[in-house]
Amino acid sequence: MEVLVLGKDSASKPMYEQIFESLRERIQLHQYQVGERVPSEKELCDEFGVSRITTKKALEMLASEQLIVRQPGRGSFVADTADVLQERPNRPAPRAAVKDPEKKLLIGLVITNFSDMYGTELLYGMEEASREHDCFLVLRRSFGIPEQEEQSIQELLELGVDGLIIFPAQGEYFSDEILKLVVNKFPFVLIDRYLKGIPASSVSTDNVGAAREGMNYLFDLGHRHIAFLTQPPANTTPIEERIEGIIEAHHDQGVLVNRELWLESFLSTLPSVFDPQVEVRDVETLVEHLQKYPQITALFAAEYHIALLAEQAADRLGLRIPEDMSIICFDSPNAAEGSRVTHMRQSQFDMGKQAFEMVLQSMQNNEMAVNRVVLPARLVKGKSTSMVKQKG
């Protein structure tokens, strides 16, 4: 039997959908007659070089379209209703959300990494939403590596997920796989950030408002020489927005922005960095920076882990926290009032839950309307900030 060659535009589609279209065309061309057995899951595995999960999904789609009848222990056979294909030969393939109503929906998650500092509560929110809607969540970590992100998206599509939630890898360029999702109108939502120029729904924090509130809090304590500590912005929207909020807070107070006091070179907090020596160099760089600018009385860290590095640097210089140096950051493992580190607490649980529900809504409405949801953060006052101590 002649094997059909998949078209050029099929390369961007999940493998299970490519197999579905190939088998559907064979039925349409009467290469398989009514009542004739179609290749089994294993035979399709050998032909297309994929897993049985992928071929099973393709056969399930054929069954949901009433093109085949699956008989346990015997195989799958072309149904009498397959002749309706002659009346609609150019009908587009069904979306991933079209499936056996008895099958539970499967939502894939691609996230850079997660920990108690950030990310775990996102998963809690998604997991609760999956339980409420009787779905399943499948997770893959990219560690902020674009190639790993692309591979994870491809693998989840081959698995047959019905929608995706993606925490994009940090960096200047978005994944080609994300662009393919947009082109193919596959239901997905970005979380924590959005990608410029990409028409995709997202759920994130009001980073501008949160950074503005945190900086104004330091100003209210009398601090005027404040260093913002962050990884390189690299066109990463959360960091860019936090910088915008910090600048707005300076304008609120009539204080000139002095970016010479800022340090934007932290690398050890990137999810793709695993070398402990990078953390040592980050601390050493901050120590040198504080020695160069002794007028600094407060540090605003873009994330909790950078705040921990700031504590190490302050200790190396014999600076007491908060008496000699105040520290504030985004997020903290301890969210309770009166926690050790003053921080802006993001609504991670709500972000995760809402992202999951947005994917489901997109699938149910069979549309790709672009929605950007922005959730507020709240200031949690801890023991790492105090009124400024006048120097000299």
Side-chain angles (χ1 to χ4, degrees), residues 201-249:
S201 296
S202 63
V203 183
S204 60
T205 294
D206 178 8
N207 287 291
V208 176
R212 186 174 187 172
E213 181 180 359
M215 183 61 74
N216 276 323
Y217 174 67
L218 292 176
F219 282 138
D220 291 342
L221 292 176
H223 297 278
R224 290 297 178 269
H225 303 291
I226 304 167
F228 180 54
L229 311 179
T230 181
Q231 57 198 224
N235 204 30
T236 303
T237 50
I239 302 300
E240 291 180 344
E241 291 174 343
R242 291 171 191 179
I243 289 174
E244 181 181 345
I246 288 171
I247 292 174
E248 289 184 3

mmCIF file of all heavy atoms in Angstrom, residues 201-249:
data_model
loop_
_atom_site.group_PDB
_atom_site.id
_atom_site.type_symbol
_atom_site.label_atom_id
_atom_site.label_comp_id
_atom_site.label_asym_id
_atom_site.label_seq_id
_atom_site.Cartn_x
_atom_site.Cartn_y
_atom_site.Cartn_z
ATOM 1 N N SER A 201 -3.011 35.327 24.955
ATOM 2 C CA SER A 201 -3.547 35.663 26.272
ATOM 3 C C SER A 201 -2.493 35.424 27.349
ATOM 4 O O SER A 201 -1.630 34.550 27.207
ATOM 5 C CB SER A 201 -4.793 34.835 26.564
ATOM 6 O OG SER A 201 -5.834 35.150 25.656
ATOM 7 N N SER A 202 -2.579 36.193 28.434
ATOM 8 C CA SER A 202 -1.586 36.050 29.503
ATOM 9 C C SER A 202 -2.196 36.435 30.841
ATOM 10 O O SER A 202 -3.176 37.181 30.913
ATOM 11 C CB SER A 202 -0.363 36.939 29.229
ATOM 12 O OG SER A 202 -0.728 38.309 29.230
ATOM 13 N N VAL A 203 -1.599 35.892 31.893
ATOM 14 C CA VAL A 203 -1.948 36.242 33.269
ATOM 15 C C VAL A 203 -0.647 36.606 33.970
ATOM 16 O O VAL A 203 0.305 35.819 33.965
ATOM 17 C CB VAL A 203 -2.619 35.073 34.017
ATOM 18 C CG1 VAL A 203 -3.032 35.512 35.417
ATOM 19 C CG2 VAL A 203 -3.821 34.557 33.252
ATOM 20 N N SER A 204 -0.591 37.787 34.555
ATOM 21 C CA SER A 204 0.642 38.220 35.208
ATOM 22 C C SER A 204 0.324 39.160 36.358
ATOM 23 O O SER A 204 -0.843 39.500 36.605
ATOM 24 C CB SER A 204 1.576 38.918 34.203
ATOM 25 O OG SER A 204 0.941 40.057 33.649
ATOM 26 N N THR A 205 1.363 39.584 37.044
ATOM 27 C CA THR A 205 1.239 40.529 38.153
ATOM 28 C C THR A 205 1.269 41.958 37.631
ATOM 29 O O THR A 205 1.893 42.242 36.604
ATOM 30 C CB THR A 205 2.395 40.311 39.142
ATOM 31 O OG1 THR A 205 2.252 39.013 39.739
ATOM 32 C CG2 THR A 205 2.407 41.351 40.251
ATOM 33 N N ASP A 206 0.635 42.849 38.350
ATOM 34 C CA ASP A 206 0.772 44.281 38.071
ATOM 35 C C ASP A 206 2.147 44.708 38.573
ATOM 36 O O ASP A 206 2.283 45.288 39.653
ATOM 37 C CB ASP A 206 -0.342 45.060 38.761
ATOM 38 C CG ASP A 206 -0.226 46.577 38.540
ATOM 39 O OD1 ASP A 206 0.624 46.993 37.723
ATOM 40 O OD2 ASP A 206 -0.966 47.326 39.200
ATOM 41 N N ASN A 207 3.167 44.389 37.785
ATOM 42 C CA ASN A 207 4.538 44.650 38.207
ATOM 43 C C ASN A 207 4.832 46.140 38.356
ATOM 44 O O ASN A 207 5.594 46.539 39.240
ATOM 45 C CB ASN A 207 5.504 44.023 37.198
ATOM 46 C CG ASN A 207 5.547 42.518 37.301
ATOM 47 O OD1 ASN A 207 6.032 41.956 38.265
ATOM 48 N ND2 ASN A 207 5.017 41.843 36.285
ATOM 49 N N VAL A 208 4.227 46.949 37.490
ATOM 50 C CA VAL A 208 4.442 48.399 37.595
ATOM 51 C C VAL A 208 3.911 48.913 38.922
ATOM 52 O O VAL A 208 4.607 49.600 39.677
ATOM 53 C CB VAL A 208 3.758 49.141 36.426
ATOM 54 C CG1 VAL A 208 3.892 50.659 36.597
ATOM 55 C CG2 VAL A 208 4.362 48.716 35.090
ATOM 56 N N GLY A 209 2.661 48.566 39.234
ATOM 57 C CA GLY A 209 2.056 49.031 40.479
ATOM 58 C C GLY A 209 2.749 48.483 41.709
ATOM 59 O O GLY A 209 2.919 49.190 42.717
ATOM 60 N N ALA A 210 3.175 47.205 41.660
ATOM 61 C CA ALA A 210 3.834 46.594 42.816
ATOM 62 C C ALA A 210 5.184 47.245 43.086
ATOM 63 O O ALA A 210 5.515 47.564 44.243
ATOM 64 C CB ALA A 210 4.011 45.101 42.578
ATOM 65 N N ALA A 211 5.997 47.444 42.045
ATOM 66 C CA ALA A 211 7.305 48.073 42.234
ATOM 67 C C ALA A 211 7.146 49.512 42.704
ATOM 68 O O ALA A 211 7.926 50.001 43.547
ATOM 69 C CB ALA A 211 8.096 48.025 40.928
ATOM 70 N N ARG A 212 6.169 50.191 42.186
ATOM 71 C CA ARG A 212 5.906 51.575 42.592
ATOM 72 C C ARG A 212 5.554 51.643 44.074
ATOM 73 O O ARG A 212 6.065 52.495 44.805
ATOM 74 C CB ARG A 212 4.759 52.136 41.740
ATOM 75 C CG ARG A 212 4.460 53.610 41.937
ATOM 76 C CD ARG A 212 3.400 54.045 40.935
ATOM 77 N NE ARG A 212 3.170 55.470 40.953
ATOM 78 C CZ ARG A 212 2.401 56.109 40.073
ATOM 79 N NH1 ARG A 212 1.801 55.424 39.105
ATOM 80 N NH2 ARG A 212 2.219 57.421 40.160
ATOM 81 N N GLU A 213 4.676 50.730 44.519
ATOM 82 C CA GLU A 213 4.284 50.714 45.935
ATOM 83 C C GLU A 213 5.471 50.380 46.832
ATOM 84 O O GLU A 213 5.670 51.005 47.880
ATOM 85 C CB GLU A 213 3.157 49.706 46.161
ATOM 86 C CG GLU A 213 2.672 49.655 47.600
ATOM 87 C CD GLU A 213 1.546 48.659 47.808
ATOM 88 O OE1 GLU A 213 1.130 48.017 46.825
ATOM 89 O OE2 GLU A 213 1.089 48.521 48.970
ATOM 90 N N GLY A 214 6.271 49.389 46.430
ATOM 91 C CA GLY A 214 7.421 49.018 47.246
ATOM 92 C C GLY A 214 8.441 50.134 47.353
ATOM 93 O O GLY A 214 8.993 50.396 48.442
ATOM 94 N N MET A 215 8.710 50.818 46.247
ATOM 95 C CA MET A 215 9.674 51.908 46.272
ATOM 96 C C MET A 215 9.144 53.094 47.082
ATOM 97 O O MET A 215 9.893 53.717 47.852
ATOM 98 C CB MET A 215 9.998 52.334 44.840
ATOM 99 C CG MET A 215 11.052 53.421 44.726
ATOM 100 S SD MET A 215 12.670 52.945 45.397
ATOM 101 C CE MET A 215 13.256 51.813 44.131
ATOM 102 N N ASN A 216 7.857 53.400 46.946
ATOM 103 C CA ASN A 216 7.278 54.495 47.735
ATOM 104 C C ASN A 216 7.322 54.191 49.226
ATOM 105 O O ASN A 216 7.468 55.103 50.053
ATOM 106 C CB ASN A 216 5.835 54.768 47.289
ATOM 107 C CG ASN A 216 5.762 55.689 46.085
ATOM 108 O OD1 ASN A 216 6.563 56.622 45.968
ATOM 109 N ND2 ASN A 216 4.827 55.430 45.190
ATOM 110 N N TYR A 217 7.217 52.910 49.572
ATOM 111 C CA TYR A 217 7.336 52.520 50.981
ATOM 112 C C TYR A 217 8.727 52.853 51.510
ATOM 113 O O TYR A 217 8.869 53.380 52.624
ATOM 114 C CB TYR A 217 7.042 51.027 51.133
ATOM 115 C CG TYR A 217 7.277 50.489 52.523
ATOM 116 C CD1 TYR A 217 6.472 50.882 53.590
ATOM 117 C CD2 TYR A 217 8.310 49.586 52.775
ATOM 118 C CE1 TYR A 217 6.691 50.384 54.871
ATOM 119 C CE2 TYR A 217 8.528 49.077 54.041
ATOM 120 C CZ TYR A 217 7.719 49.485 55.088
ATOM 121 O OH TYR A 217 7.936 49.002 56.354
ATOM 122 N N LEU A 218 9.759 52.571 50.716
ATOM 123 C CA LEU A 218 11.125 52.917 51.127
ATOM 124 C C LEU A 218 11.295 54.430 51.220
ATOM 125 O O LEU A 218 11.944 54.940 52.150
ATOM 126 C CB LEU A 218 12.139 52.334 50.142
ATOM 127 C CG LEU A 218 12.270 50.808 50.128
ATOM 128 C CD1 LEU A 218 13.242 50.368 49.030
ATOM 129 C CD2 LEU A 218 12.745 50.285 51.484
ATOM 130 N N PHE A 219 10.709 55.154 50.269
ATOM 131 C CA PHE A 219 10.778 56.613 50.332
ATOM 132 C C PHE A 219 10.110 57.131 51.605
ATOM 133 O O PHE A 219 10.601 58.058 52.260
ATOM 134 C CB PHE A 219 10.116 57.236 49.098
ATOM 135 C CG PHE A 219 10.962 57.195 47.858
ATOM 136 C CD1 PHE A 219 10.397 56.876 46.631
ATOM 137 C CD2 PHE A 219 12.322 57.482 47.907
ATOM 138 C CE1 PHE A 219 11.164 56.841 45.480
ATOM 139 C CE2 PHE A 219 13.110 57.447 46.757
ATOM 140 C CZ PHE A 219 12.518 57.133 45.549
ATOM 141 N N ASP A 220 8.967 56.540 51.972
ATOM 142 C CA ASP A 220 8.255 56.955 53.181
ATOM 143 C C ASP A 220 9.090 56.712 54.434
ATOM 144 O O ASP A 220 8.906 57.388 55.456
ATOM 145 C CB ASP A 220 6.921 56.220 53.297
ATOM 146 C CG ASP A 220 5.916 56.649 52.231
ATOM 147 O OD1 ASP A 220 6.121 57.724 51.630
ATOM 148 O OD2 ASP A 220 4.938 55.899 52.005
ATOM 149 N N LEU A 221 9.990 55.732 54.377
ATOM 150 C CA LEU A 221 10.885 55.461 55.509
ATOM 151 C C LEU A 221 12.082 56.404 55.524
ATOM 152 O O LEU A 221 12.945 56.290 56.409
ATOM 153 C CB LEU A 221 11.377 54.007 55.457
ATOM 154 C CG LEU A 221 10.317 52.919 55.709
ATOM 155 C CD1 LEU A 221 10.934 51.528 55.527
ATOM 156 C CD2 LEU A 221 9.715 53.056 57.102
ATOM 157 N N GLY A 222 12.151 57.291 54.555
ATOM 158 C CA GLY A 222 13.222 58.288 54.530
ATOM 159 C C GLY A 222 14.386 57.948 53.622
ATOM 160 O O GLY A 222 15.328 58.730 53.504
ATOM 161 N N HIS A 223 14.341 56.810 52.958
ATOM 162 C CA HIS A 223 15.447 56.421 52.074
ATOM 163 C C HIS A 223 15.391 57.231 50.778
ATOM 164 O O HIS A 223 14.313 57.443 50.205
ATOM 165 C CB HIS A 223 15.379 54.923 51.767
ATOM 166 C CG HIS A 223 15.536 54.052 52.968
ATOM 167 N ND1 HIS A 223 16.763 53.730 53.490
ATOM 168 C CD2 HIS A 223 14.592 53.457 53.766
ATOM 169 C CE1 HIS A 223 16.590 52.940 54.547
ATOM 170 N NE2 HIS A 223 15.284 52.774 54.744
ATOM 171 N N ARG A 224 16.541 57.666 50.323
ATOM 172 C CA ARG A 224 16.636 58.403 49.065
ATOM 173 C C ARG A 224 17.667 57.786 48.117
ATOM 174 O O ARG A 224 17.572 57.969 46.910
ATOM 175 C CB ARG A 224 16.983 59.869 49.326
ATOM 176 C CG ARG A 224 15.860 60.684 49.973
ATOM 177 C CD ARG A 224 14.646 60.742 49.047
ATOM 178 N NE ARG A 224 13.522 61.481 49.629
ATOM 179 C CZ ARG A 224 12.554 60.934 50.356
ATOM 180 N NH1 ARG A 224 12.581 59.621 50.604
ATOM 181 N NH2 ARG A 224 11.573 61.658 50.832
ATOM 182 N N HIS A 225 18.625 57.080 48.656
ATOM 183 C CA HIS A 225 19.661 56.437 47.835
ATOM 184 C C HIS A 225 19.398 54.929 47.851
ATOM 185 O O HIS A 225 19.840 54.211 48.759
ATOM 186 C CB HIS A 225 21.056 56.767 48.375
ATOM 187 C CG HIS A 225 21.319 58.244 48.439
ATOM 188 N ND1 HIS A 225 21.474 59.030 47.328
ATOM 189 C CD2 HIS A 225 21.433 59.078 49.509
ATOM 190 C CE1 HIS A 225 21.688 60.271 47.679
ATOM 191 N NE2 HIS A 225 21.663 60.344 48.998
ATOM 192 N N ILE A 226 18.653 54.485 46.852
ATOM 193 C CA ILE A 226 18.146 53.104 46.813
ATOM 194 C C ILE A 226 18.664 52.409 45.568
ATOM 195 O O ILE A 226 18.566 52.940 44.456
ATOM 196 C CB ILE A 226 16.608 53.089 46.817
ATOM 197 C CG1 ILE A 226 16.080 53.863 48.041
ATOM 198 C CG2 ILE A 226 16.079 51.661 46.801
ATOM 199 C CD1 ILE A 226 14.592 54.164 47.970
ATOM 200 N N ALA A 227 19.219 51.216 45.744
ATOM 201 C CA ALA A 227 19.734 50.438 44.616
ATOM 202 C C ALA A 227 18.720 49.365 44.237
ATOM 203 O O ALA A 227 18.232 48.627 45.107
ATOM 204 C CB ALA A 227 21.065 49.801 44.972
ATOM 205 N N PHE A 228 18.405 49.287 42.959
ATOM 206 C CA PHE A 228 17.569 48.197 42.450
ATOM 207 C C PHE A 228 18.485 47.084 41.979
ATOM 208 O O PHE A 228 19.412 47.306 41.189
ATOM 209 C CB PHE A 228 16.698 48.692 41.303
ATOM 210 C CG PHE A 228 15.791 47.637 40.720
ATOM 211 C CD1 PHE A 228 14.922 46.913 41.526
ATOM 212 C CD2 PHE A 228 15.812 47.365 39.349
ATOM 213 C CE1 PHE A 228 14.082 45.934 40.989
ATOM 214 C CE2 PHE A 228 14.978 46.389 38.810
ATOM 215 C CZ PHE A 228 14.115 45.677 39.631
ATOM 216 N N LEU A 229 18.267 45.875 42.470
ATOM 217 C CA LEU A 229 19.111 44.721 42.159
ATOM 218 C C LEU A 229 18.314 43.738 41.305
ATOM 219 O O LEU A 229 17.252 43.258 41.705
ATOM 220 C CB LEU A 229 19.571 44.029 43.450
ATOM 221 C CG LEU A 229 20.160 44.931 44.544
ATOM 222 C CD1 LEU A 229 20.538 44.093 45.767
ATOM 223 C CD2 LEU A 229 21.358 45.702 44.030
ATOM 224 N N THR A 230 18.854 43.405 40.139
ATOM 225 C CA THR A 230 18.116 42.528 39.246
ATOM 226 C C THR A 230 19.050 41.769 38.314
ATOM 227 O O THR A 230 20.223 42.130 38.158
ATOM 228 C CB THR A 230 17.107 43.336 38.400
ATOM 229 O OG1 THR A 230 16.372 42.450 37.554
ATOM 230 C CG2 THR A 230 17.811 44.365 37.526
ATOM 231 N N GLN A 231 18.536 40.737 37.705
ATOM 232 C CA GLN A 231 19.227 40.075 36.604
ATOM 233 C C GLN A 231 19.129 40.995 35.391
ATOM 234 O O GLN A 231 18.310 41.929 35.388
ATOM 235 C CB GLN A 231 18.559 38.731 36.310
ATOM 236 C CG GLN A 231 17.088 38.883 36.003
ATOM 237 C CD GLN A 231 16.321 37.593 36.124
ATOM 238 O OE1 GLN A 231 15.515 37.302 35.262
ATOM 239 N NE2 GLN A 231 16.545 36.836 37.187
ATOM 240 N N PRO A 232 19.902 40.771 34.341
ATOM 241 C CA PRO A 232 19.791 41.618 33.152
ATOM 242 C C PRO A 232 18.360 41.600 32.622
ATOM 243 O O PRO A 232 17.783 40.525 32.439
ATOM 244 C CB PRO A 232 20.768 40.974 32.161
ATOM 245 C CG PRO A 232 21.764 40.264 33.027
ATOM 246 C CD PRO A 232 20.981 39.758 34.199
ATOM 247 N N PRO A 233 17.742 42.771 32.393
ATOM 248 C CA PRO A 233 16.358 42.806 31.916
ATOM 249 C C PRO A 233 16.145 41.988 30.642
ATOM 250 O O PRO A 233 15.157 41.258 30.529
ATOM 251 C CB PRO A 233 16.118 44.305 31.663
ATOM 252 C CG PRO A 233 17.056 44.990 32.591
ATOM 253 C CD PRO A 233 18.284 44.118 32.642
ATOM 254 N N ALA A 234 17.045 42.087 29.662
ATOM 255 C CA ALA A 234 17.009 41.255 28.440
ATOM 256 C C ALA A 234 15.615 41.167 27.830
ATOM 257 O O ALA A 234 15.169 40.102 27.434
ATOM 258 C CB ALA A 234 17.548 39.862 28.741
ATOM 259 N N ASN A 235 14.933 42.303 27.788
ATOM 260 C CA ASN A 235 13.615 42.356 27.156
ATOM 261 C C ASN A 235 12.600 41.438 27.842
ATOM 262 O O ASN A 235 11.675 40.933 27.228
ATOM 263 C CB ASN A 235 13.696 42.000 25.670
ATOM 264 C CG ASN A 235 12.532 42.581 24.879
ATOM 265 O OD1 ASN A 235 12.010 43.613 25.237
ATOM 266 N ND2 ASN A 235 12.143 41.911 23.811
ATOM 267 N N THR A 236 12.820 41.192 29.157
ATOM 268 C CA THR A 236 11.909 40.369 29.939
ATOM 269 C C THR A 236 10.862 41.287 30.564
ATOM 270 O O THR A 236 11.200 42.114 31.410
ATOM 271 C CB THR A 236 12.655 39.597 31.034
ATOM 272 O OG1 THR A 236 13.667 38.801 30.414
ATOM 273 C CG2 THR A 236 11.724 38.695 31.803
ATOM 274 N N THR A 237 9.618 41.132 30.182
ATOM 275 C CA THR A 237 8.606 42.114 30.552
ATOM 276 C C THR A 237 8.434 42.337 32.059
ATOM 277 O O THR A 237 8.251 43.492 32.461
ATOM 278 C CB THR A 237 7.251 41.739 29.923
ATOM 279 O OG1 THR A 237 6.949 40.365 30.192
ATOM 280 C CG2 THR A 237 7.289 41.971 28.428
ATOM 281 N N PRO A 238 8.473 41.323 32.949
ATOM 282 C CA PRO A 238 8.309 41.635 34.371
ATOM 283 C C PRO A 238 9.382 42.583 34.901
ATOM 284 O O PRO A 238 9.078 43.499 35.672
ATOM 285 C CB PRO A 238 8.399 40.255 35.043
ATOM 286 C CG PRO A 238 8.031 39.290 33.990
ATOM 287 C CD PRO A 238 8.568 39.872 32.728
ATOM 288 N N ILE A 239 10.640 42.373 34.507
ATOM 289 C CA ILE A 239 11.712 43.238 34.990
ATOM 290 C C ILE A 239 11.565 44.635 34.405
ATOM 291 O O ILE A 239 11.714 45.643 35.113
ATOM 292 C CB ILE A 239 13.096 42.652 34.634
ATOM 293 C CG1 ILE A 239 13.249 41.248 35.234
ATOM 294 C CG2 ILE A 239 14.204 43.572 35.134
ATOM 295 C CD1 ILE A 239 13.133 41.199 36.727
ATOM 296 N N GLU A 240 11.247 44.720 33.130
ATOM 297 C CA GLU A 240 11.052 46.029 32.502
ATOM 298 C C GLU A 240 9.920 46.787 33.192
ATOM 299 O O GLU A 240 10.016 48.000 33.420
ATOM 300 C CB GLU A 240 10.744 45.860 31.023
ATOM 301 C CG GLU A 240 11.917 45.353 30.203
ATOM 302 C CD GLU A 240 11.570 45.198 28.729
ATOM 303 O OE1 GLU A 240 10.366 45.200 28.410
ATOM 304 O OE2 GLU A 240 12.501 45.087 27.911
ATOM 305 N N GLU A 241 8.851 46.081 33.535
ATOM 306 C CA GLU A 241 7.717 46.738 34.195
ATOM 307 C C GLU A 241 8.087 47.173 35.608
ATOM 308 O O GLU A 241 7.633 48.229 36.069
ATOM 309 C CB GLU A 241 6.519 45.791 34.212
ATOM 310 C CG GLU A 241 5.931 45.550 32.835
ATOM 311 C CD GLU A 241 4.840 44.511 32.840
ATOM 312 O OE1 GLU A 241 4.749 43.742 33.829
ATOM 313 O OE2 GLU A 241 4.070 44.448 31.865
ATOM 314 N N ARG A 242 8.885 46.384 36.310
ATOM 315 C CA ARG A 242 9.295 46.780 37.655
ATOM 316 C C ARG A 242 10.192 48.012 37.608
ATOM 317 O O ARG A 242 10.099 48.895 38.464
ATOM 318 C CB ARG A 242 9.990 45.605 38.354
ATOM 319 C CG ARG A 242 9.018 44.486 38.678
ATOM 320 C CD ARG A 242 9.668 43.202 39.164
ATOM 321 N NE ARG A 242 8.668 42.125 39.190
ATOM 322 C CZ ARG A 242 8.903 40.879 39.551
ATOM 323 N NH1 ARG A 242 10.131 40.523 39.907
ATOM 324 N NH2 ARG A 242 7.932 39.982 39.550
ATOM 325 N N ILE A 243 11.030 48.071 36.603
ATOM 326 C CA ILE A 243 11.857 49.270 36.428
ATOM 327 C C ILE A 243 10.959 50.481 36.167
ATOM 328 O O ILE A 243 11.185 51.568 36.724
ATOM 329 C CB ILE A 243 12.853 49.063 35.266
ATOM 330 C CG1 ILE A 243 13.932 48.048 35.686
ATOM 331 C CG2 ILE A 243 13.495 50.385 34.854
ATOM 332 C CD1 ILE A 243 14.886 47.660 34.569
ATOM 333 N N GLU A 244 9.941 50.291 35.352
ATOM 334 C CA GLU A 244 9.000 51.385 35.072
ATOM 335 C C GLU A 244 8.322 51.858 36.346
ATOM 336 O O GLU A 244 8.171 53.069 36.575
ATOM 337 C CB GLU A 244 7.960 50.908 34.063
ATOM 338 C CG GLU A 244 6.942 51.963 33.674
ATOM 339 C CD GLU A 244 5.900 51.448 32.687
ATOM 340 O OE1 GLU A 244 6.135 50.379 32.091
ATOM 341 O OE2 GLU A 244 4.851 52.112 32.541
ATOM 342 N N GLY A 245 7.899 50.915 37.202
ATOM 343 C CA GLY A 245 7.251 51.283 38.457
ATOM 344 C C GLY A 245 8.178 52.019 39.397
ATOM 345 O O GLY A 245 7.769 52.967 40.086
ATOM 346 N N ILE A 246 9.442 51.608 39.430
ATOM 347 C CA ILE A 246 10.422 52.267 40.291
ATOM 348 C C ILE A 246 10.660 53.707 39.821
ATOM 349 O O ILE A 246 10.746 54.644 40.629
ATOM 350 C CB ILE A 246 11.735 51.465 40.308
ATOM 351 C CG1 ILE A 246 11.536 50.175 41.119
ATOM 352 C CG2 ILE A 246 12.881 52.283 40.894
ATOM 353 C CD1 ILE A 246 12.684 49.210 41.039
ATOM 354 N N ILE A 247 10.743 53.891 38.522
ATOM 355 C CA ILE A 247 10.931 55.243 37.978
ATOM 356 C C ILE A 247 9.715 56.115 38.286
ATOM 357 O O ILE A 247 9.846 57.291 38.653
ATOM 358 C CB ILE A 247 11.189 55.162 36.456
ATOM 359 C CG1 ILE A 247 12.554 54.505 36.200
ATOM 360 C CG2 ILE A 247 11.141 56.548 35.824
ATOM 361 C CD1 ILE A 247 12.855 54.245 34.738
ATOM 362 N N GLU A 248 8.504 55.527 38.177
ATOM 363 C CA GLU A 248 7.301 56.284 38.503
ATOM 364 C C GLU A 248 7.288 56.710 39.967
ATOM 365 O O GLU A 248 6.848 57.827 40.301
ATOM 366 C CB GLU A 248 6.054 55.457 38.185
ATOM 367 C CG GLU A 248 5.789 55.285 36.702
ATOM 368 C CD GLU A 248 4.491 54.549 36.422
ATOM 369 O OE1 GLU A 248 3.776 54.216 37.403
ATOM 370 O OE2 GLU A 248 4.187 54.310 35.236
ATOM 371 N N ALA A 249 7.770 55.825 40.859
ATOM 372 C CA ALA A 249 7.819 56.173 42.281
ATOM 373 C C ALA A 249 8.769 57.349 42.521
ATOM 374 O O ALA A 249 8.485 58.224 43.356
ATOM 375 C CB ALA A 249 8.249 54.962 43.100
#
